[in-house]
Amino acid sequence: AAVIVETCRCLRAETGVETVAISGGVMQNRTMLGQAVERLEADGFRVLLQRLVPPNDAGMSFGQAAWALTELAGQGE
């Protein structure tokens, strides 16, 4: 959880982004999820969690498709 927060701090310093979406297989671990959310929010981040898409491999293809659509939209296709 500490590494997640420190990484987000570094990225915030570079980009100014203060909203963090966390997901992935490790976030199925309630302890890790709880600590990460608690620490991020205490550091001023807005934390987004998945509700409709699973956090593990079952949701990975959804994220890849969303990224691909964003890339295509940026290219005018």
Side-chain angles (χ1 to χ4, degrees):
V3 171
I4 291 168
V5 174
E6 185 57 32
T7 300
C8 290
R9 285 179 183 154
C10 290
L11 291 169
R12 177 174 56 191
E14 291 178 22
T15 67
V17 173
E18 294 186 328
T19 300
V20 178
I22 55 177
S23 185
V26 72
M27 291 304 159
Q28 292 181 103
N29 179 312
R30 290 183 189 267
T31 301
M32 175 65 77
L33 177 63
Q35 288 183 11
V37 170
E38 182 179 315
R39 292 176 184 201
L40 286 165
E41 289 178 341
D43 206 70
F45 287 97
R46 176 178 175 230
V47 180
L48 305 177
L49 302 172
Q50 74 287 339
R51 300 245 190 270
L52 301 176
V53 178
N56 56 20
D57 290 347
M60 190 180 330
S61 60
F62 179 83
Q64 292 170 336
W67 177 82
L69 287 172
T70 307
E71 287 293 304
L72 290 173
Q75 297 174 8
E77 297 180 24

